[in-house]
Amino acid sequence: MQDWNPQLYRQFESERTRPARELLTRIATPDVRYATDLGCGPGNSTELLAQAWPEAIVTGIDSSEAMLEQARERLPDCRFAQADIRHWLAEQPQQVIYANASLQWLGDHQTLLPHLVSQLDIGGSLAIQMPDNLEEPSHRLMREVAATERWRTHISPQAADRKRLLTTEQYYDLLNDAGCEVDIWRTTYYHVMSDAQAIITWLRATGLRPFLAGLDESQQKAFLAEYHQRLIPAYPSRSNGKVLLAFPRLFMVAMKTR
């Protein structure tokens, strides 16, 4: 798959940063000296950590060098490193490990989350936000188009296989068993979009990437045209001509107590 496109990603930076900011407000850990942003992207979420704890050493981790270049330019006083979250090891116990809209791309959360908790200091917090929108029309229709006769020979089932989240109860038990007090909640945002095409613009930077990765330019245009036609009735215009994109997200803040 091609590297992430920071410019495309940042077209909806305000909407993407809102849940990151709301996640941050629920972190109660005092005296933060070391904080790491897992899946930092172009640095919009890392910037929130640096503002919240100006005396802390804040590090951003991402697998995309293109994203890291933007983050370094944006935040020259923070540290950044290219790494796979699954294999990341902190150099010292962390007071905050923050993962905004990144862990949904990874599987085996039963192993991953305890591994992250193990790198927290006592009293430290693991803060996670993940899109929980696989059954929304925006994502269900991607899969439906990819499964049609025209596209199933070009788009493998694996390309459309974003990792499904565990249940809320499973996450609670997993983090509790790892030695944490757990605050867990779900929020549905309703983003006001100009039209169905704007939804495609949003998702080209994220959810559509695996579907488009194996297609050439003309095939991408054809796939998106079919997807667009399915989006239009799924997201009817409101009284002002805009459409509402429902976007559920799951939040967790786990404070390590033992």
Side-chain angles (χ1 to χ4, degrees):
M1 191 183 301
Q2 291 184 342
D3 203 349
W4 291 75
N5 185 327
Q7 287 74 27
L8 189 60
Y9 183 89
R10 293 182 70 176
Q11 284 191 36
F12 293 95
E13 181 168 320
S14 176
E15 291 85 350
R16 297 185 197 281
T17 304
R18 180 180 170 186
R21 186 177 293 110
E22 293 179 4
L23 176 64
L24 180 64
T25 64
R26 302 286 278 267
I27 299 174
T29 296
D31 188 25
V32 176
R33 301 179 303 282
Y34 295 99
T36 297
D37 184 9
L38 298 179
C40 64
N44 53 310
S45 53
T46 318
E47 187 172 45
L48 298 178
L49 304 186
Q51 291 169 349
W53 302 294
E55 302 303 317
I57 294 175
V58 177
T59 302
I61 301 295
D62 207 280
S63 61
S64 166
E65 185 56 38
M67 288 290 198
L68 289 169
E69 287 177 7
Q70 294 251 328
R72 292 186 184 105
E73 182 178 343
R74 181 175 188 157
L75 298 166
D77 293 333
C78 292
R79 299 179 179 182
F80 294 95
Q82 187 174 22
D84 185 325
I85 292 172
R86 292 167 293 189
H87 307 301
W88 169 76
L89 291 172
E91 294 181 358
Q92 55 278 313
Q94 303 287 293
Q95 282 73 54
V96 172
I97 297 176
Y98 182 88
N100 178 69
S102 57
L103 301 189
Q104 76 275 7
W105 296 104
L106 306 175
D108 194 15
H109 284 187
Q110 293 93 334
T111 300
L112 176 62
L113 268 60
H115 167 69
L116 296 177
V117 169
S118 72
Q119 299 181 69
L120 289 171
D121 199 0
I122 296 296
S125 293
L126 172 62
I128 298 168
Q129 180 275 123
M130 295 181 288
D132 193 10
N133 56 357
L134 285 180
E135 298 309 318
E136 291 298 313
S138 56
H139 286 66
R140 176 173 48 79
L141 294 175
M142 290 180 203
R143 300 193 298 271
E144 289 183 6
V145 175
T148 61
E149 184 176 356
R150 179 178 183 182
W151 296 111
R152 59 177 171 240
T153 58
H154 298 285
I155 302 173
S156 71
Q158 291 74 25
D161 185 26
R162 197 181 87 185
K163 310 307 181 208
R164 293 192 175 272
L165 303 187
L166 305 179
T167 67
T168 305
E169 293 79 9
Q170 286 173 321
Y171 280 119
Y172 180 87
D173 289 343
L174 181 65
L175 291 166
N176 180 73
D177 292 346
C180 297
E181 292 183 357
V182 184
D183 181 15
I184 187 165
W185 71 101
R186 181 179 279 100
T187 298
T188 298
Y189 297 84
Y190 288 88
H191 298 296
V192 180
M193 313 293 283
S194 59
D195 51 26
Q197 184 60 50
I199 296 174
I200 294 177
T201 302
W202 173 305
L203 294 172
R204 283 199 71 161
T206 53
L208 279 166
R209 293 180 71 245
F211 295 85
L212 301 178
L215 305 180
D216 62 31
E217 185 175 351
S218 64
Q219 290 173 327
Q220 288 185 14
K221 289 181 179 179
F223 179 88
L224 292 176
E226 290 189 32
Y227 176 52
H228 183 240
Q229 288 305 306
R230 297 192 184 214
L231 284 178
I232 292 172
Y235 293 94
S237 297
R238 310 321 309 163
S239 60
N240 62 355
K242 306 288 188 180
V243 301
L244 291 178
L245 174 63
F247 205 128
R249 296 177 182 269
L250 180 65
F251 294 76
M252 293 172 268
V253 177
M255 179 179 286
K256 186 174 182 178
T257 59
R258 61 183 190 278

